[in-house]
Amino acid sequence: MQAALIRALTEIMEQNPRALILGEDVGRLGGVFRITDGLQQRFGADRVLDTPLAESGILGMSVGLAMAGFHPIPEVQFDGFAYPAVNQIVTQLARMNYRSRGTLPMPVTLRVPSFGGIRAPEHHGESLEALFAHVPGLKVVSPSNPHEAYHLLKYAAARPDPVIFMEPKSRYWQKGEVLPADGGSPLGSKVVRSGKHVTLIAWGAMVARCLQVAELAAEDGIEVEVLDLRWLKPIDAAGLAASVARTRRAVVVHEAPLTSGLGAEVAALVTERCFGTLRAPVERVTGFDVPYPSGDLEDEYIPNIDRILFGIQRVLEYRRG
Amino acid sequence: MVPVTTQVPELSGDELRRLYRLLTAVRQLDLAAVAWQRQGIIPGYAPELGQEAAQVGSAFAMDTSRDFIFPTYREMGTALTLGVDMVQYMATHQASWHGGLYDPVTTRLAPIQAVVGGSVLHAVGWAHGQRLAAQADATQADATAETAPPDGAPATATPSDGEPDAAPAAGLPAALTYFGDGASSQGDVHEAMNFAAVLKAPVVFFVQNNGWAISLPTEAQVAGGRVAARAAGYGMKSLTVDGNDVTAVVRATREALAHARAGHGPVLIEAMTYRRGPHSTSDDPGRYRTLDEERRDAGADPVALLAEQLLASGHADSDFLDAAQADALAAADTVRDGVQALRPRPGSEMFEFVFAESTQQLTDQASAWRKESEHD
């Protein structure tokens, strides 16, 4: 995925002279995850800008650069360090197009290495999708593999609106092909495995885990459909409904805490559209309502194969009381 | 207080008269807006009584064919000086639309907004963009002079070694950003100053130190006593100026702009003024200061001070002052009529400006709103 992201950024910078990368250590170091590796040598220190260590500054400056006609691609090093920038993201970046009645659009793509799974210190693994998806004016997307990372980043960076691009850091070193675009809606979800008994709905790193679960379930004769949601705002409600209408059962899987997480939104959308055909309530398999735990407890927190299988079992065995 | 301006020429008689007309217009409109709030014409307003010279003087120095101004919510005097339509500006206080109805791109005034310090960083980003654009233009011009570039080659900026390149002869476009003594304690303001100084961005930080952050006086808000003193910590030039003296403000801003345009980096101006009225029409200054304190601390009235200067220098007579006053009153009445004629924006606009590329969800919500609210 790292190589796919570098390739996407390189092409974006080549094709759009107004595109700028800025953030802490993105230049000479190539980013702490090396996602901007080699780009400063190629495009110069003005277009790949090492900024002072200040996330609000990086995002506030991106707003001003966008007002000057540039297409900033800021990076915050880790999800937990997006919090210091939340004021600029929520009160400024997300609202400038609205406040200015469309005269100051904000073509800003914020790259955020996201989620857990790498046993990192506190604040180096968080799941911010519900926070950002709740803010009017922001769009949120998360790729699940190198192919998606390449195409979704290129698409996001060509948008005239702010997009929060949540890169699953546990998948950075995953190998995989980048195929040509498949012609589907770039804003849609994707069925990445077909099945008829239950739909697993996931994004980011959880897509791969759900695919593992589907393999295991198949050994017991349970055919699991896996839906990669991709866009967390706007959510592809039609795609969700189409899959669940076929399987009649749904389990949504995410790393973020349960309460007020995106799983609740997904469950509501599925219920609105598929109430008559659902055989069981939509299940959620998620992180817990606890601060993101330290590395030793991470495996207990992130939905694992067993917990997802239990979720599937609950929807399969549900009987109307 | 002596301004640190020494290299900028004195203002001409014509400039002084124009400034007086602007100050008078701002004073009258400001007083009128408070009255409109009391009369129920607008729900709220942030008065700027006493800050007319700081705002008019700084905005007067700007070149709105290329510069850009980043205001807070208390910059009516700046907006009027820039020529922004005052009805469209007041629309934000009338509750028509957040940020006002004016076009920020053509007026060169960013939308009004209430998160103090929020727009200071935008000024740095915008100003840095001007440096990048100027460097890209220079690179392209060089390339054109030497060899014709291949068709469709993008205009890329030259890698910088960290030192500012020579600015074009006319100098760089500059950003002017306003904030108060209260906002100077916001982290964003410090981040903005550091970023601007590191990047040598052509930005002028204009602090209106009006003595109060709602109820908290400057001494409880600004450690060290002066915002301008902080500039030294960022390696940034600073000027302290009598914010009640419009000529001093114009000259200080011109000096700062010359520095920024030349590519030497940002400048901080601290204009010492006084918020003579309340923070907003909901505020009650009697809870935190006495009338005696106001009289003692307010300093010279900016409008009266310029009137004295004009009369003493012979650049204007009392007839001119009277005419300016009459015109200001008439202009305020015209704005009031315009504000009263404003109608609520069509509800559909709620949905139109959220994104440049809207979403199916918003389209669906707009349809439901239309149907359920009988707006078809």
Short mmCIF file of all heavy atoms in Angstrom, two decimals, chain A residues 17 44 46 54 56-57 60-61 63-65 67-68 70 87-88 92 97-99 101-103 137-139 159-161 234-235, chain B residues 70 97-98 104-105 113 118 121-122 125-126 128-130 132 135 158 160 188 191 195 199 345 349-350 353-357 361:
data_model
loop_
_atom_site.label_atom_id
_atom_site.label_comp_id
_atom_site.label_asym_id
_atom_site.label_seq_id
_atom_site.Cartn_x
_atom_site.Cartn_y
_atom_site.Cartn_z
N PRO A 17 -0.22 21.09 -11.13
CA PRO A 17 0.85 21.97 -10.63
C PRO A 17 0.44 22.75 -9.38
O PRO A 17 1.30 23.30 -8.70
CB PRO A 17 1.12 22.91 -11.80
CG PRO A 17 -0.08 22.83 -12.66
CD PRO A 17 -0.68 21.47 -12.47
N GLY A 44 10.68 19.30 -5.22
CA GLY A 44 11.24 20.49 -4.59
C GLY A 44 10.62 20.77 -3.24
O GLY A 44 9.52 20.32 -2.91
N ASP A 46 9.46 23.49 -2.11
CA ASP A 46 8.28 24.36 -2.09
C ASP A 46 6.99 23.58 -2.26
O ASP A 46 5.94 23.98 -1.77
CB ASP A 46 8.37 25.41 -3.21
CG ASP A 46 9.32 26.53 -2.86
OD1 ASP A 46 9.62 26.69 -1.66
OD2 ASP A 46 9.79 27.22 -3.77
N ALA A 54 3.20 21.54 14.23
CA ALA A 54 2.00 22.21 14.73
C ALA A 54 0.84 21.86 13.81
O ALA A 54 0.71 22.40 12.72
CB ALA A 54 2.21 23.72 14.78
N SER A 56 -2.46 22.28 13.99
CA SER A 56 -3.44 23.32 13.67
C SER A 56 -2.87 24.26 12.62
O SER A 56 -3.56 24.69 11.69
CB SER A 56 -3.81 24.10 14.94
OG SER A 56 -4.91 24.93 14.71
N GLY A 57 -1.58 24.55 12.76
CA GLY A 57 -0.90 25.40 11.77
C GLY A 57 -0.93 24.78 10.38
O GLY A 57 -1.17 25.45 9.39
N GLY A 60 -4.60 25.03 9.19
CA GLY A 60 -4.98 26.43 8.96
C GLY A 60 -4.27 27.00 7.75
O GLY A 60 -4.85 27.73 6.95
N MET A 61 -3.01 26.62 7.61
CA MET A 61 -2.26 27.07 6.45
C MET A 61 -2.83 26.47 5.17
O MET A 61 -2.89 27.12 4.13
CB MET A 61 -0.80 26.67 6.62
CG MET A 61 0.09 27.36 5.64
SD MET A 61 1.80 27.12 6.04
CE MET A 61 2.43 27.34 4.39
N VAL A 63 -5.92 25.81 4.62
CA VAL A 63 -7.12 26.59 4.28
C VAL A 63 -6.71 27.85 3.50
O VAL A 63 -7.28 28.17 2.45
CB VAL A 63 -7.89 26.99 5.56
CG1 VAL A 63 -9.01 27.98 5.24
CG2 VAL A 63 -8.47 25.74 6.23
N GLY A 64 -5.69 28.54 3.98
CA GLY A 64 -5.22 29.75 3.29
C GLY A 64 -4.65 29.46 1.92
O GLY A 64 -4.88 30.20 0.96
N LEU A 65 -3.92 28.36 1.81
CA LEU A 65 -3.38 27.97 0.49
C LEU A 65 -4.51 27.67 -0.48
O LEU A 65 -4.45 28.02 -1.66
CB LEU A 65 -2.46 26.75 0.64
CG LEU A 65 -1.05 27.05 1.17
CD1 LEU A 65 -0.38 25.78 1.68
CD2 LEU A 65 -0.18 27.71 0.10
N MET A 67 -7.43 28.99 -0.37
CA MET A 67 -8.00 30.29 -0.73
C MET A 67 -7.16 30.98 -1.81
O MET A 67 -7.67 31.78 -2.59
CB MET A 67 -8.10 31.18 0.51
CG MET A 67 -9.14 30.71 1.50
SD MET A 67 -9.08 31.58 3.08
CE MET A 67 -9.96 33.07 2.67
N ALA A 68 -5.87 30.65 -1.84
CA ALA A 68 -4.98 31.23 -2.85
C ALA A 68 -4.95 30.41 -4.14
O ALA A 68 -4.16 30.70 -5.04
CB ALA A 68 -3.56 31.36 -2.27
N PHE A 70 -4.46 26.98 -4.42
CA PHE A 70 -3.68 25.75 -4.41
C PHE A 70 -4.55 24.56 -3.97
O PHE A 70 -5.67 24.75 -3.49
CB PHE A 70 -2.47 25.90 -3.47
CG PHE A 70 -1.43 26.84 -4.02
CD1 PHE A 70 -1.49 28.21 -3.73
CD2 PHE A 70 -0.42 26.39 -4.83
CE1 PHE A 70 -0.54 29.09 -4.25
CE2 PHE A 70 0.53 27.26 -5.35
CZ PHE A 70 0.46 28.62 -5.05
N ASN A 87 -9.98 21.96 15.54
CA ASN A 87 -10.60 23.29 15.43
C ASN A 87 -10.53 23.81 14.00
O ASN A 87 -11.54 24.23 13.42
CB ASN A 87 -9.93 24.27 16.40
CG ASN A 87 -10.37 25.70 16.16
OD1 ASN A 87 -11.54 25.97 15.94
ND2 ASN A 87 -9.43 26.62 16.17
N GLN A 88 -9.34 23.78 13.41
CA GLN A 88 -9.20 24.30 12.04
C GLN A 88 -10.01 23.44 11.06
O GLN A 88 -10.60 23.97 10.12
CB GLN A 88 -7.73 24.33 11.62
CG GLN A 88 -6.97 25.54 12.16
CD GLN A 88 -7.42 26.86 11.53
OE1 GLN A 88 -7.92 26.89 10.40
NE2 GLN A 88 -7.25 27.95 12.25
N GLN A 92 -13.20 25.77 10.34
CA GLN A 92 -12.71 26.55 9.19
C GLN A 92 -12.78 25.75 7.89
O GLN A 92 -13.52 26.10 6.98
CB GLN A 92 -11.27 27.03 9.46
CG GLN A 92 -11.09 27.75 10.80
CD GLN A 92 -11.94 29.00 10.92
OE1 GLN A 92 -12.13 29.74 9.96
NE2 GLN A 92 -12.48 29.26 12.11
N ASN A 97 -16.44 26.85 2.31
CA ASN A 97 -17.25 26.89 1.09
C ASN A 97 -18.65 27.41 1.42
O ASN A 97 -19.21 28.23 0.68
CB ASN A 97 -17.34 25.50 0.46
CG ASN A 97 -17.97 25.53 -0.91
OD1 ASN A 97 -17.39 26.06 -1.84
ND2 ASN A 97 -19.18 25.00 -1.02
N TYR A 98 -19.18 26.96 2.55
CA TYR A 98 -20.53 27.37 2.96
C TYR A 98 -20.57 28.85 3.32
O TYR A 98 -21.38 29.61 2.83
CB TYR A 98 -20.93 26.53 4.18
CG TYR A 98 -22.41 26.51 4.50
CD1 TYR A 98 -23.27 25.72 3.78
CD2 TYR A 98 -22.92 27.25 5.56
CE1 TYR A 98 -24.62 25.66 4.09
CE2 TYR A 98 -24.26 27.20 5.89
CZ TYR A 98 -25.11 26.40 5.15
OH TYR A 98 -26.45 26.35 5.46
N ARG A 99 -19.62 29.23 4.19
CA ARG A 99 -19.54 30.60 4.67
C ARG A 99 -19.39 31.59 3.51
O ARG A 99 -19.93 32.68 3.54
CB ARG A 99 -18.32 30.66 5.59
CG ARG A 99 -18.18 31.82 6.49
CD ARG A 99 -16.88 31.68 7.27
NE ARG A 99 -16.98 30.85 8.45
CZ ARG A 99 -15.93 30.27 9.05
NH1 ARG A 99 -14.71 30.42 8.56
NH2 ARG A 99 -16.10 29.55 10.12
N ARG A 101 -20.37 31.14 0.49
CA ARG A 101 -21.40 30.90 -0.52
C ARG A 101 -20.81 30.36 -1.82
O ARG A 101 -21.14 30.80 -2.92
CB ARG A 101 -22.22 32.17 -0.77
CG ARG A 101 -22.92 32.66 0.49
CD ARG A 101 -23.61 34.00 0.30
NE ARG A 101 -24.62 33.97 -0.73
CZ ARG A 101 -25.83 33.43 -0.60
NH1 ARG A 101 -26.18 32.86 0.53
NH2 ARG A 101 -26.68 33.46 -1.60
N GLY A 102 -19.89 29.42 -1.65
CA GLY A 102 -19.33 28.73 -2.80
C GLY A 102 -18.20 29.44 -3.51
O GLY A 102 -17.68 28.92 -4.51
N THR A 103 -17.79 30.61 -3.01
CA THR A 103 -16.72 31.34 -3.71
C THR A 103 -15.33 30.91 -3.26
O THR A 103 -14.35 31.21 -3.93
CB THR A 103 -16.86 32.86 -3.52
OG1 THR A 103 -16.81 33.15 -2.12
CG2 THR A 103 -18.18 33.35 -4.08
N GLY A 137 -19.77 19.25 5.66
CA GLY A 137 -18.72 19.89 4.87
C GLY A 137 -17.49 19.03 4.68
O GLY A 137 -16.62 19.39 3.89
N LEU A 138 -17.40 17.92 5.40
CA LEU A 138 -16.26 17.02 5.22
C LEU A 138 -16.71 15.73 4.54
O LEU A 138 -17.82 15.27 4.77
CB LEU A 138 -15.64 16.64 6.57
CG LEU A 138 -15.06 17.76 7.43
CD1 LEU A 138 -14.52 17.18 8.73
CD2 LEU A 138 -13.97 18.53 6.69
N LYS A 139 -15.84 15.15 3.73
CA LYS A 139 -16.03 13.81 3.21
C LYS A 139 -14.92 12.92 3.78
O LYS A 139 -13.82 13.41 4.05
CB LYS A 139 -16.01 13.83 1.68
CG LYS A 139 -17.18 14.63 1.10
CD LYS A 139 -17.15 14.80 -0.40
CE LYS A 139 -18.34 15.64 -0.86
NZ LYS A 139 -18.30 15.94 -2.31
N ARG A 159 -10.88 16.33 -6.01
CA ARG A 159 -12.18 16.86 -5.60
C ARG A 159 -12.04 18.32 -5.17
O ARG A 159 -11.01 18.72 -4.62
CB ARG A 159 -12.78 16.04 -4.46
CG ARG A 159 -12.86 14.55 -4.76
CD ARG A 159 -14.08 14.11 -5.55
NE ARG A 159 -14.37 14.75 -6.79
CZ ARG A 159 -13.81 14.39 -7.96
NH1 ARG A 159 -12.89 13.47 -8.04
NH2 ARG A 159 -14.16 14.98 -9.06
N PRO A 160 -13.09 19.09 -5.35
CA PRO A 160 -13.07 20.49 -4.91
C PRO A 160 -13.45 20.66 -3.44
O PRO A 160 -13.56 21.78 -2.97
CB PRO A 160 -14.13 21.14 -5.82
CG PRO A 160 -15.10 20.05 -6.10
CD PRO A 160 -14.32 18.77 -6.13
N ASP A 161 -13.65 19.56 -2.72
CA ASP A 161 -14.10 19.62 -1.32
C ASP A 161 -13.07 18.96 -0.40
O ASP A 161 -12.28 18.14 -0.84
CB ASP A 161 -15.44 18.88 -1.18
CG ASP A 161 -16.57 19.62 -1.89
OD1 ASP A 161 -16.72 20.82 -1.62
OD2 ASP A 161 -17.27 19.00 -2.71
N PRO A 234 -19.80 10.57 1.98
CA PRO A 234 -21.13 10.01 2.17
C PRO A 234 -21.10 8.48 2.09
O PRO A 234 -20.35 7.91 1.30
CB PRO A 234 -21.89 10.59 0.98
CG PRO A 234 -20.86 10.78 -0.08
CD PRO A 234 -19.59 11.12 0.63
N ILE A 235 -21.95 7.84 2.88
CA ILE A 235 -22.06 6.38 2.83
C ILE A 235 -22.93 5.97 1.64
O ILE A 235 -23.93 6.61 1.35
CB ILE A 235 -22.67 5.84 4.15
CG1 ILE A 235 -21.64 5.99 5.28
CG2 ILE A 235 -23.07 4.37 4.02
CD1 ILE A 235 -22.13 5.51 6.63
N PHE B 70 -7.90 39.32 6.10
CA PHE B 70 -8.51 38.25 6.90
C PHE B 70 -9.06 38.85 8.20
O PHE B 70 -8.29 39.11 9.12
CB PHE B 70 -7.48 37.15 7.16
CG PHE B 70 -7.02 36.47 5.91
CD1 PHE B 70 -6.05 37.05 5.10
CD2 PHE B 70 -7.59 35.28 5.49
CE1 PHE B 70 -5.64 36.43 3.92
CE2 PHE B 70 -7.19 34.66 4.32
CZ PHE B 70 -6.22 35.24 3.52
N TRP B 97 -26.92 35.33 6.66
CA TRP B 97 -25.96 34.30 6.24
C TRP B 97 -24.68 34.48 7.03
O TRP B 97 -24.13 35.58 7.08
CB TRP B 97 -25.67 34.42 4.73
CG TRP B 97 -24.97 33.20 4.22
CD1 TRP B 97 -23.63 33.01 4.11
CD2 TRP B 97 -25.58 31.99 3.77
NE1 TRP B 97 -23.37 31.75 3.64
CE2 TRP B 97 -24.55 31.10 3.41
CE3 TRP B 97 -26.92 31.56 3.65
CZ2 TRP B 97 -24.81 29.81 2.93
CZ3 TRP B 97 -27.16 30.28 3.16
CH2 TRP B 97 -26.12 29.42 2.80
N HIS B 98 -24.18 33.37 7.62
CA HIS B 98 -22.87 33.44 8.30
C HIS B 98 -21.81 33.92 7.32
O HIS B 98 -21.72 33.43 6.21
CB HIS B 98 -22.45 32.05 8.79
CG HIS B 98 -23.34 31.47 9.84
ND1 HIS B 98 -23.82 32.21 10.90
CD2 HIS B 98 -23.83 30.22 10.01
CE1 HIS B 98 -24.55 31.43 11.67
NE2 HIS B 98 -24.60 30.22 11.15
N PRO B 104 -16.17 37.33 -1.11
CA PRO B 104 -14.82 37.58 -0.58
C PRO B 104 -13.75 37.64 -1.66
O PRO B 104 -12.72 38.30 -1.47
CB PRO B 104 -14.58 36.39 0.37
CG PRO B 104 -15.62 35.39 0.06
CD PRO B 104 -16.75 36.08 -0.62
N VAL B 105 -13.98 36.96 -2.77
CA VAL B 105 -12.95 36.94 -3.81
C VAL B 105 -12.82 38.31 -4.47
O VAL B 105 -11.72 38.83 -4.64
CB VAL B 105 -13.26 35.84 -4.86
CG1 VAL B 105 -12.24 35.87 -5.98
CG2 VAL B 105 -13.28 34.47 -4.18
N GLN B 113 -15.75 35.76 10.61
CA GLN B 113 -15.97 34.54 11.39
C GLN B 113 -15.56 34.78 12.83
O GLN B 113 -14.80 35.67 13.14
CB GLN B 113 -15.27 33.35 10.76
CG GLN B 113 -13.77 33.46 10.69
CD GLN B 113 -13.08 32.72 11.78
OE1 GLN B 113 -13.61 31.76 12.31
NE2 GLN B 113 -11.89 33.17 12.14
N GLY B 118 -8.64 32.01 14.34
CA GLY B 118 -8.84 31.01 13.29
C GLY B 118 -8.34 31.47 11.94
O GLY B 118 -7.71 30.71 11.21
N LEU B 121 -4.14 31.98 10.73
CA LEU B 121 -3.38 30.96 10.00
C LEU B 121 -3.71 30.97 8.51
O LEU B 121 -2.85 30.68 7.68
CB LEU B 121 -3.69 29.58 10.58
CG LEU B 121 -2.90 29.19 11.82
CD1 LEU B 121 -3.53 28.01 12.52
CD2 LEU B 121 -1.45 28.86 11.44
N HIS B 122 -4.94 31.31 8.18
CA HIS B 122 -5.31 31.34 6.76
C HIS B 122 -4.48 32.40 6.04
O HIS B 122 -4.08 32.22 4.89
CB HIS B 122 -6.80 31.65 6.58
CG HIS B 122 -7.70 30.76 7.38
ND1 HIS B 122 -9.04 31.01 7.54
CD2 HIS B 122 -7.45 29.63 8.07
CE1 HIS B 122 -9.57 30.07 8.30
NE2 HIS B 122 -8.63 29.22 8.64
N GLY B 125 -1.14 30.95 5.16
CA GLY B 125 -1.22 30.04 4.02
C GLY B 125 -1.40 30.81 2.71
O GLY B 125 -0.74 30.52 1.71
N TRP B 126 -2.30 31.79 2.75
CA TRP B 126 -2.55 32.58 1.53
C TRP B 126 -1.27 33.32 1.13
O TRP B 126 -0.89 33.33 -0.05
CB TRP B 126 -3.70 33.57 1.78
CG TRP B 126 -4.10 34.31 0.55
CD1 TRP B 126 -5.07 33.96 -0.34
CD2 TRP B 126 -3.53 35.54 0.07
NE1 TRP B 126 -5.14 34.88 -1.36
CE2 TRP B 126 -4.21 35.86 -1.14
CE3 TRP B 126 -2.52 36.39 0.52
CZ2 TRP B 126 -3.91 37.01 -1.88
CZ3 TRP B 126 -2.22 37.53 -0.23
CH2 TRP B 126 -2.91 37.82 -1.40
N HIS B 128 1.86 32.66 1.90
CA HIS B 128 2.88 31.74 1.42
C HIS B 128 2.58 31.35 -0.03
O HIS B 128 3.48 31.23 -0.86
CB HIS B 128 2.94 30.50 2.31
CG HIS B 128 3.97 29.50 1.90
ND1 HIS B 128 5.32 29.79 1.90
CD2 HIS B 128 3.86 28.23 1.43
CE1 HIS B 128 6.00 28.72 1.47
NE2 HIS B 128 5.13 27.77 1.17
N GLY B 129 1.30 31.18 -0.33
CA GLY B 129 0.90 30.88 -1.70
C GLY B 129 1.33 31.96 -2.68
O GLY B 129 1.70 31.67 -3.83
N GLN B 130 1.31 33.21 -2.24
CA GLN B 130 1.73 34.30 -3.14
C GLN B 130 3.22 34.20 -3.45
O GLN B 130 3.66 34.46 -4.57
CB GLN B 130 1.43 35.67 -2.51
CG GLN B 130 -0.01 35.87 -2.09
CD GLN B 130 -1.00 35.37 -3.13
OE1 GLN B 130 -0.98 35.82 -4.29
NE2 GLN B 130 -1.86 34.44 -2.76
N LEU B 132 4.95 31.39 -3.46
CA LEU B 132 5.12 30.24 -4.36
C LEU B 132 4.73 30.62 -5.78
O LEU B 132 5.42 30.26 -6.74
CB LEU B 132 4.25 29.07 -3.88
CG LEU B 132 4.63 28.43 -2.55
CD1 LEU B 132 3.69 27.26 -2.26
CD2 LEU B 132 6.08 27.96 -2.55
N GLN B 135 7.36 32.79 -7.36
CA GLN B 135 8.55 32.02 -7.73
C GLN B 135 8.28 31.18 -8.98
O GLN B 135 9.13 31.06 -9.85
CB GLN B 135 8.97 31.13 -6.57
CG GLN B 135 9.67 31.91 -5.47
CD GLN B 135 9.84 31.10 -4.19
OE1 GLN B 135 9.83 31.67 -3.12
NE2 GLN B 135 10.02 29.80 -4.31
N THR B 158 10.50 26.29 -8.44
CA THR B 158 11.87 25.85 -8.26
C THR B 158 12.09 25.41 -6.82
O THR B 158 11.63 26.07 -5.90
CB THR B 158 12.83 27.02 -8.55
OG1 THR B 158 12.47 27.55 -9.82
CG2 THR B 158 14.27 26.57 -8.57
N SER B 160 13.44 25.30 -3.30
CA SER B 160 14.04 26.40 -2.56
C SER B 160 15.06 25.86 -1.59
O SER B 160 14.92 24.78 -1.05
CB SER B 160 12.94 27.14 -1.80
OG SER B 160 13.48 27.84 -0.71
N ASP B 188 -3.42 29.22 17.89
CA ASP B 188 -3.33 29.43 16.45
C ASP B 188 -2.54 30.68 16.09
O ASP B 188 -1.87 30.72 15.06
CB ASP B 188 -4.74 29.52 15.83
CG ASP B 188 -5.31 28.15 15.48
OD1 ASP B 188 -4.63 27.14 15.75
OD2 ASP B 188 -6.43 28.09 14.95
N GLU B 191 1.09 29.77 16.42
CA GLU B 191 1.48 28.90 15.31
C GLU B 191 1.60 29.71 14.02
O GLU B 191 2.52 29.51 13.22
CB GLU B 191 0.48 27.75 15.14
CG GLU B 191 0.50 26.80 16.33
CD GLU B 191 -0.31 25.53 16.13
OE1 GLU B 191 -0.61 25.16 14.99
OE2 GLU B 191 -0.64 24.89 17.15
N PHE B 195 4.97 29.99 11.84
CA PHE B 195 4.96 29.53 10.45
C PHE B 195 5.37 30.67 9.52
O PHE B 195 6.19 30.50 8.62
CB PHE B 195 3.56 29.03 10.05
CG PHE B 195 3.29 27.59 10.35
CD1 PHE B 195 3.43 27.10 11.64
CD2 PHE B 195 2.87 26.71 9.36
CE1 PHE B 195 3.16 25.76 11.93
CE2 PHE B 195 2.60 25.38 9.63
CZ PHE B 195 2.75 24.90 10.92
N LEU B 199 8.71 30.75 7.19
CA LEU B 199 8.52 30.72 5.73
C LEU B 199 8.75 32.08 5.08
O LEU B 199 8.67 32.20 3.86
CB LEU B 199 7.09 30.25 5.40
CG LEU B 199 6.76 28.81 5.81
CD1 LEU B 199 5.26 28.56 5.75
CD2 LEU B 199 7.49 27.82 4.89
N ARG B 345 -32.77 34.19 3.43
CA ARG B 345 -32.32 33.50 2.22
C ARG B 345 -33.23 32.31 1.95
O ARG B 345 -33.79 31.72 2.90
CB ARG B 345 -30.88 33.00 2.39
CG ARG B 345 -29.87 34.08 2.72
CD ARG B 345 -29.82 35.18 1.69
NE ARG B 345 -29.67 34.69 0.34
CZ ARG B 345 -29.84 35.44 -0.75
NH1 ARG B 345 -30.19 36.70 -0.64
NH2 ARG B 345 -29.65 34.92 -1.94
N GLU B 349 -30.81 27.21 -0.08
CA GLU B 349 -29.38 27.57 -0.05
C GLU B 349 -28.65 26.87 1.10
O GLU B 349 -27.43 26.72 1.03
CB GLU B 349 -29.21 29.08 0.07
CG GLU B 349 -29.56 29.82 -1.21
CD GLU B 349 -29.20 31.29 -1.14
OE1 GLU B 349 -28.81 31.76 -0.05
OE2 GLU B 349 -29.31 31.98 -2.17
N MET B 350 -29.39 26.48 2.13
CA MET B 350 -28.76 25.71 3.21
C MET B 350 -28.00 24.53 2.64
O MET B 350 -26.94 24.17 3.11
CB MET B 350 -29.86 25.12 4.11
CG MET B 350 -30.21 25.91 5.31
SD MET B 350 -31.13 24.90 6.50
CE MET B 350 -32.50 24.24 5.58
N PHE B 353 -24.54 25.11 -0.53
CA PHE B 353 -23.16 25.54 -0.39
C PHE B 353 -22.33 24.68 0.56
O PHE B 353 -21.22 25.04 0.92
CB PHE B 353 -23.12 27.00 0.07
CG PHE B 353 -23.74 27.94 -0.91
CD1 PHE B 353 -24.88 28.68 -0.58
CD2 PHE B 353 -23.20 28.10 -2.18
CE1 PHE B 353 -25.46 29.55 -1.48
CE2 PHE B 353 -23.77 28.97 -3.09
CZ PHE B 353 -24.90 29.71 -2.75
N VAL B 354 -22.89 23.54 1.00
CA VAL B 354 -22.14 22.69 1.93
C VAL B 354 -20.88 22.17 1.24
O VAL B 354 -19.78 22.21 1.78
CB VAL B 354 -23.00 21.52 2.43
CG1 VAL B 354 -22.19 20.66 3.41
CG2 VAL B 354 -24.27 22.03 3.08
N PHE B 355 -21.06 21.69 0.02
CA PHE B 355 -19.95 21.18 -0.78
C PHE B 355 -19.94 21.86 -2.14
O PHE B 355 -20.98 22.33 -2.62
CB PHE B 355 -20.11 19.67 -1.02
CG PHE B 355 -20.03 18.82 0.21
CD1 PHE B 355 -21.16 18.17 0.70
CD2 PHE B 355 -18.82 18.65 0.89
CE1 PHE B 355 -21.07 17.36 1.83
CE2 PHE B 355 -18.74 17.85 2.02
CZ PHE B 355 -19.87 17.21 2.49
N ALA B 356 -18.77 21.87 -2.77
CA ALA B 356 -18.72 22.27 -4.17
C ALA B 356 -19.33 21.16 -5.03
O ALA B 356 -19.96 21.42 -6.05
CB ALA B 356 -17.28 22.55 -4.58
N GLU B 357 -19.10 19.91 -4.60
CA GLU B 357 -19.75 18.75 -5.24
C GLU B 357 -20.68 18.15 -4.21
O GLU B 357 -20.22 17.51 -3.25
CB GLU B 357 -18.71 17.68 -5.62
CG GLU B 357 -18.04 17.92 -6.93
CD GLU B 357 -17.04 16.82 -7.27
OE1 GLU B 357 -16.73 15.96 -6.42
OE2 GLU B 357 -16.56 16.83 -8.40
N GLN B 361 -26.98 12.28 -0.39
CA GLN B 361 -27.65 12.43 0.90
C GLN B 361 -28.22 13.84 1.05
O GLN B 361 -29.35 14.02 1.50
CB GLN B 361 -26.66 12.16 2.05
CG GLN B 361 -26.45 10.68 2.35
CD GLN B 361 -25.51 10.01 1.35
OE1 GLN B 361 -25.04 10.63 0.39
NE2 GLN B 361 -25.26 8.73 1.57
#
